[in-house]
Every structure is written in C-alpha cells, then in structure tokens.
Amino acid sequence: MSRQQTVRLARRLALVALVVVALAAPLSLRAFWLQSGLFAMAAIISAIGLTLLVGRSGQLSLGHAFFVAIGAYGYSYLAGDPGSPLASGLGWPPVLALLGAVLAAALAGALFSPISGRLRGIYLGLASLGLVFLGQHILFNATPVTGGYNGRNAEPFRIFGFTFGDSNPADLVVLGVRYGELERLWYLGLLFVAVAWWCAHNLVRSRPGRALATIRDSEVAAGVMGVNVARFKAAAFIVSSMYAALGGVLMALVFGRIVPESFGLLMSVEFLVMIVIGGIGSVGGAVAGAVFVTLLPLVLNRYSDLLPLLAQPGTSGISAADLSRIIYGLAIILILLFAHDGLAGLARRLRTSRRGADGPTDPDHPMSEPSTTKELAR
C-alpha cells in the first residue's frame, strides 16, 4: 500500500470514528454539553453560509443576523399556535414551516441582491448593516408576529409523528439513557450540519463555485470569461441567506424561546469573527471558527469559579463574556498579522510539512486564494 493510500485510509477511518463518536455523544454527555454543542451546530450552519458569501464571492455582509432572525422567527410564526393570545402563528406542520422560513430568507436575500450587485467592499458591508437595524425595528414592533420585546416560543420540530421534544414518545430510552429534547435535537442538528457541509463542500468544487472565486478575484476577468457576474453574485447572496435561516431555525428549536436582542449587530460581528478565525473561504474553517467562538464563552462561564481572573455573576470585574471577546480580538489580530488563512491554513501547512512536500491545491482551503482576507485586512 502506497503512502497516499495509507493517508487516505487513515482519513476515512478518522471520519468514521468521528461519526460514531458524534452519534454516541448523547449517551454520555451532560445537558450543558449537549446544549452547547447544539448552539455550535446552529452557528456552524450559518457560518458556512457567510463564508460562501464573503470568502467565495467576495461580498462583505454585516447583515447575517437579519437572515438568521428570518429563519428563527419565520419558523416560529409559521409553525406557531394560531390561537396563542400573545404571538399567534399559522399552525403549519413543522417541516413545511422550516421550508417556508428558509424560502422566506431566500426571498429576502433576492430582494437585497440588486444592492449587493451595485456595491463592493466596506460600502456593501455598511449597506447590509442596515438590514440589522431594519430587522430589530420589525422584531420589536411587529408584536402579533414576533411577540415584540418578550419574544415568542418555537414549536418543537415534528416529523412522521415523532417529536424532537420531551413528548411523543414521552419515555424514550436508549441503552438505559432517557432521550429528552436535547438528545433528540442533537441528531436533528447533526443532520442539518451534514447536509449544510455536503452542499457547501460540493458547491466550492463545482463550476459555479469556481465562477464565484473568479468573481471575487476580478469581476472584469470573470465577465470576459463569460461569467454572468450579477446573476452569480445574487445567487451567492440567496444561498448564504438560506444557510443563515436554517441555522436560525435550529437556534430557535434549541432555545425554545427567541427574543429580538439575540439577533443584533453583535451576532453579525460574531459570524465574521468565526470565518476570519477559521479561514475565510474554507468550509472546514467556518466549522472550526464557529465551534471556537460559540463554545469559548460558554465554557469560560461554566468554569468561571475555577479561573481567578473572572468575576462571579453579580460582581464587578471581567466576566466570561468579556474575556471571550478579548480573546476573539487577540485571535483576529494575530491571524490577520501572521496567518491570513486562519485555522484552516494552519492545518493545511501542518499536513504539508508532515508530508515533506507541497500537496495538491484544495479548493476548500483558502491558502492559495488569500485575496479576500487581505482585502478585509486592508
């Protein structure tokens, strides 16, 4: 067996082991880790959509939280109880509500795409920022739909009579472990992440993916090569919006209740932090960045009593959230200075150094296509 075949076999075995561990996780993980993992899954899906938009098509967006909110509130409204006195719904089956929320986000992305086609760089980012302010105004004031300041509940997801909640069936036991809402949602989240990753992984390797990369590097050159620049940029915005909405749906299911404050500017900034730390343009990097940014404050908060620098809840000083933001800031500065391609690029260089020779160019790794990161750094 050649060295290349050995490496390929090792990767497949590692992937199989990862899948087995992920499937068996609810059997041993506590509720905190299951819930944190589900938050990370929701962030992964939305971050993949943003890295396709920013890293692949070169369109800077600060309005990602707006499309996440459309997914979360769209699902909650479409699947909500029509007779609810505070925030009514349409009573759609959850599967149709999920599809409706994702399509609503796609429509919103399509409506914004003419603007994204006319603006570039920081001007497009500022224009997309207006979506966040618009979304916040709607979420706070469209009380019959959004619940206003108090937010609204998200109906549990159901399919074929099986509920991803604590009922239907009420006492589901697997290998001696009772499977409640978090355990059931864990598998739904894994399914969403797998579908999102597979679609993005194939998109960046397809002709449309290469066309988007060409547009990112030079719209003029792409037009000369016969690429319809306006149509591809609009398609990238629509696809990114759909990813954000799917992540929003999962977020609503995990939270159980959503409020407008969760979908502000800070969320959009955090998504940008995820893809910069992971490596702009890399699907795997978006996954790593989303896990890092999502889990860091949760873990710091849980173990704050063990860290002397952190203030306890209700006291003055540096909180876990403050420390996590400081770490984000330092990580971004270090990455922009020393590793434009983020964690994905570092992993690629590590593999290359272990092989002792340069590997083939992989379209999932942005190292060979660093222009977008450099443009953002400037």
Side-chain angles (χ1 to χ4, degrees), residues 204-283:
V204 298
R205 285 167 166 76
S206 64
R207 291 184 64 182
R210 291 191 289 273
L212 289 176
T214 306
I215 292 173
R216 176 201 60 200
D217 294 336
S218 173
E219 293 186 10
V220 175
V224 171
M225 295 171 65
V227 176
N228 189 326
V229 175
R231 187 171 69 178
F232 273 92
K233 291 180 71 173
F237 219 99
I238 293 172
V239 170
S240 175
S241 303
M242 296 172 71
Y243 268 93
L246 183 59
V249 172
L250 182 58
M251 184 181 299
L253 291 172
V254 178
F255 274 115
R257 185 174 184 81
I258 49 178
V259 292
E261 289 89 347
S262 302
F263 304 94
L265 177 60
L266 179 59
M267 173 181 278
S268 289
V269 173
E270 286 181 344
F271 279 122
L272 279 177
V273 172
M274 292 175 193
I275 64 173
V276 170
I277 291 177
I280 294 180
S282 168
V283 177

Side-chain angles (χ1 to χ4, degrees), residues 112-145:
F112 188 77
S113 60
I115 299 175
S116 66
R118 296 174 62 88
L119 299 175
R120 299 177 185 173
I122 190 63
Y123 299 104
L124 175 58
L126 292 175
S128 63
L129 183 59
L131 293 175
V132 177
F133 299 138
L134 174 63
Q136 287 289 293
H137 178 76
I138 295 174
L139 295 180
F140 276 110
N141 293 283
T143 306
V145 176

Side-chain angles (χ1 to χ4, degrees), residues 140-170:
F140 276 110
N141 293 283
T143 306
V145 176
T146 65
Y149 182 82
N150 295 319
R152 65 172 300 151
N153 294 328
E155 290 292 319
F157 192 79
R158 297 187 301 274
I159 185 169
F160 301 129
F162 182 85
T163 302
F164 290 83
D166 292 325
S167 60
N168 294 329

Side-chain angles (χ1 to χ4, degrees), residues 181-215:
E181 182 179 27
L182 292 178
E183 288 80 4
R184 302 180 196 187
L185 281 176
W186 179 268
Y187 296 106
L188 185 66
L190 286 179
L191 176 63
F192 286 175
V193 169
V195 172
W197 181 87
W198 182 81
C199 291
H201 190 71
N202 286 282
L203 175 62
V204 298
R205 285 167 166 76
S206 64
R207 291 184 64 182
R210 291 191 289 273
L212 289 176
T214 306
I215 292 173

